[in-house]
Amino acid sequence: QHDYSRRAADRTPADRANDTIPNAVAPTTQIQPHRVAFDPETARENRLLLSASLPEDHSTIAAYGMLRTRILHRTRTNNWRTVGLTSAAPQDGKSLTAVNLALSLAREKNSSVVLLDLDMRNPSVCRTLGITPPTELRDFFEGRVDSPEDLFMSIGIDNLLIAGNVTPTDNSAELLASSKLEELLDFIRRTT
């Protein structure tokens, strides 16, 4: 349940990300992502669930399928539209889990998955996929890019859009606390 009684200024980005859009609001536009090619060798080394790099161990595929099913059930039951992954320490597998979960969710019919790498201090989603974004998220947060649409990439998987960074930044807390995050999330809600 959302606590809408809190003042707007006191609401966190996570609170705003879970807001639902009334059914009367239709998407205003279709995002036209930049097309980028992932590196099959990097995908294979990183154990990604892409057709070019599927692991021989089918238990990995089954585990992500089970995770996908549980998340879909929970999000639909609670009418959630956003899932965040985090951990207490580096090297816990957040990026691998985020990418494989996004790939698994995107295989669902009638789904729309947007994967944002908001770890601005150690961005690794693009590195995990072996891709370089034409426009980095930090460029939008720092005001060098006006339109959120310029941030999104496709690696050729239907229903999956990706936005991320390859360049780390030390002022990630300030960037994520700015109104730019809310602007980006609002854009995603309106267009996907």
Side-chain angles (χ1 to χ4, degrees):
Q1 295 295 332
H2 304 294
D3 181 8
Y4 292 107
S5 63
R6 290 176 22 193
R7 291 182 318 124
D10 295 335
R11 298 182 71 229
T12 66
D15 293 330
R16 292 185 295 270
N18 284 322
D19 288 350
T20 57
I21 299 175
N23 291 335
V25 177
T28 58
T29 183
Q30 189 78 0
I31 296 174
Q32 298 299 316
H34 299 279
R35 191 64 197 259
V36 295
F38 68 90
D39 178 23
E41 185 57 35
T42 300
R44 200 172 1 271
E45 288 171 7
N46 289 329
R47 303 178 317 275
L48 298 182
L49 301 182
L50 291 159
S51 58
S53 64
L54 288 175
E56 293 178 16
D57 177 13
H58 295 289
S59 64
T60 301
I61 298 169
Y64 279 105
M66 184 182 306
L67 179 61
R68 176 197 64 216
T69 301
R70 289 183 179 183
I71 286 175
L72 285 173
H73 175 70
R74 184 70 57 94
T75 56
R76 289 173 180 159
T77 299
N78 294 296
N79 198 27
W80 294 338
R81 295 188 56 177
T82 307
V83 175
L85 298 176
T86 188
S87 73
Q91 304 298 318
D92 282 346
K94 294 180 293 294
S95 297
L96 174 64
T97 300
V99 171
N100 277 339
L101 181 58
L103 291 167
S104 187
L105 288 166
R107 289 187 178 99
E108 285 289 309
K109 290 187 192 277
N110 301 319
S111 67
S112 181
V113 180
V114 179
L115 176 59
L116 299 176
D117 185 357
L118 295 176
D119 184 351
M120 303 259 195
R121 288 193 180 162
N122 184 25
S124 55
V125 166
C126 292
R127 188 173 59 240
T128 299
L129 284 161
I131 61 176
T132 301
T135 305
E136 293 189 271
L137 269 174
R138 67 184 289 229
D139 293 331
F140 174 71
F141 283 104
E142 293 175 347
R144 289 187 294 275
V145 172
D146 293 328
S147 173
E149 184 170 2
D150 294 336
L151 301 172
F152 296 99
M153 303 171 283
S154 169
I155 58 169
I157 305 293
D158 290 341
N159 308 323
L160 176 62
L161 297 173
I162 301 166
N165 297 293
V166 290
T167 310
T169 182
D170 290 331
N171 62 339
S172 60
E174 293 80 5
L175 294 177
L176 293 175
S178 75
S179 62
K180 288 294 206 175
L181 179 58
E182 187 169 354
E183 182 183 338
L184 176 60
L185 294 175
D186 286 343
F187 176 81
I188 291 169
R189 287 188 202 104
R190 287 192 322 269
T191 56
T192 59

